[in-house]
Amino acid sequence: MKHLPRVLIVEDEPAIAELIAVNLRHGGFVPVVAYDSVTAQRELDAALPDAILLDWMLPGQSGVALARQWRKQARTKSIPIIMLTARGDEPDKVAGLDAGADDYITKPFSTQELLARIRAVLRRRAPESVSDCVTVGALVLDAATHRISYQQQALKLGPTEFKLLHYLMKHAERVHSRSTLLDKVWGDHVFIEERTVDVHVKRLREALGAAGTMVETVRGAGYRLTAVSASRPPIASDSAQSAR
């Protein structure tokens, strides 16, 4: 069954909340409504949504305060937030974005614009999907079965190294910067340092064994996966040293 994106609507006006919910259902989303900050937090604690539509003016805690709070929490900091408000002045928009909102839409707004904004933040924040089979030289990765082999010998990789290798294999012979790998493998909603990429590249090389030399460091640019290096002996090269 296809996964329908779950959207938390935090809006204190029932008529507006229900109108948004109806249009989201028709647009292929699963809406969940909360009329205040307490209910919104309870819904988040129960199940994380794929995106949040957050009204600026709420009883009790404001939408801006909620956005700041959720961005500080590890469990919720990666959820896309779209601010909904009648406050259309530039300082207000800046305040909402600075609080952690990914987008800002001013009331009144059209249904089609709202749906397009939701799809846009979900598309921007989706990490690279894994659902195919890729072969580079003697290295084979089957995403459907989550199996990897080199020269017909099975290899075991952790989940992050698996996704990293899959992306590099799908874009073999190209040089990828650390920031690009963060966006494509981890997703641009994950706030981690670029040096984290180096750590996972090192682990990937170790897990690949003899095929580890296929993952090359391009000084000052990033990393590349190439079939050419598979024929080289697995010695401690400059590229391997750079990832440590």
Side-chain angles (χ1 to χ4, degrees):
M1 182 179 293
K2 182 180 179 182
H3 169 72
L4 297 180
R6 177 187 176 94
V7 179
L8 175 61
I9 304 165
V10 188
E11 166 64 61
D12 66 325
E13 296 187 38
I16 296 177
E18 183 56 32
L19 180 61
I20 294 173
V22 168
N23 284 291
L24 286 184
R25 288 191 194 96
H26 291 164
F29 298 92
V30 177
V32 178
V33 178
Y35 299 115
D36 53 52
S37 59
V38 174
T39 307
Q41 187 61 57
R42 186 164 59 242
E43 292 292 347
L44 279 177
D45 292 340
L48 289 180
D50 295 286
I52 299 173
L53 299 180
L54 181 59
D55 188 27
W56 182 301
M57 301 298 293
L58 293 170
Q61 202 169 10
S62 71
V64 172
L66 274 179
R68 289 198 185 97
Q69 174 182 309
W70 291 336
R71 282 293 177 252
K72 292 178 181 178
Q73 298 173 358
R75 185 170 178 267
T76 55
K77 69 179 182 180
S78 64
I79 303 173
I81 298 174
I82 299 177
M83 296 290 295
L84 304 176
T85 179
R87 306 167 72 119
D89 294 337
E90 184 175 346
D92 293 326
K93 292 181 179 180
V94 171
L97 295 172
D98 284 346
D102 299 274
D103 203 351
Y104 193 108
I105 186 166
T106 306
K107 300 175 183 178
F109 48 82
S110 72
T111 300
Q112 292 306 311
E113 179 184 6
L114 177 60
L115 295 176
R117 297 284 189 96
I118 296 173
R119 294 189 187 103
V121 295
L122 292 176
R123 188 167 54 248
R124 286 200 303 266
R125 291 175 170 267
E128 187 75 9
S129 62
V130 290
S131 59
D132 57 347
C133 186
V134 194
T135 301
V136 178
L139 188 62
V140 179
L141 182 150
D142 188 337
T145 61
H146 214 273
R147 290 175 177 169
I148 307 160
S149 65
Y150 178 65
Q151 295 179 346
Q152 300 184 339
Q153 298 296 314
L155 300 174
K156 292 184 179 181
L157 271 68
T160 301
E161 286 71 39
F162 183 93
K163 289 191 291 184
L164 176 59
L165 178 62
H166 186 218
Y167 181 78
L168 290 172
M169 290 181 69
K170 286 180 67 177
H171 305 86
E173 307 300 337
R174 301 180 190 176
V175 178
H176 307 280
S177 68
R178 291 171 176 82
S179 60
T180 296
L181 291 175
L182 281 176
D183 288 349
K184 298 299 183 180
V185 178
W186 281 262
D188 66 359
H189 60 288
V190 179
F191 305 103
I192 56 178
E193 297 181 357
E194 290 187 359
R195 288 292 298 177
T196 301
V197 176
D198 300 337
V199 174
H200 285 285
V201 167
K202 181 176 183 292
R203 292 177 181 173
L204 174 60
R205 285 178 174 143
E206 292 171 348
L208 289 176
T213 56
M214 296 176 69
V215 182
E216 296 184 335
T217 298
V218 180
R219 290 188 179 278
Y223 295 103
R224 167 179 58 209
L225 187 131
T226 175
V228 177
S229 292
S231 61
R232 300 175 186 170
I235 60 175
S237 61
D238 289 342
S239 62
Q241 293 291 336
S242 298
R244 293 177 182 172

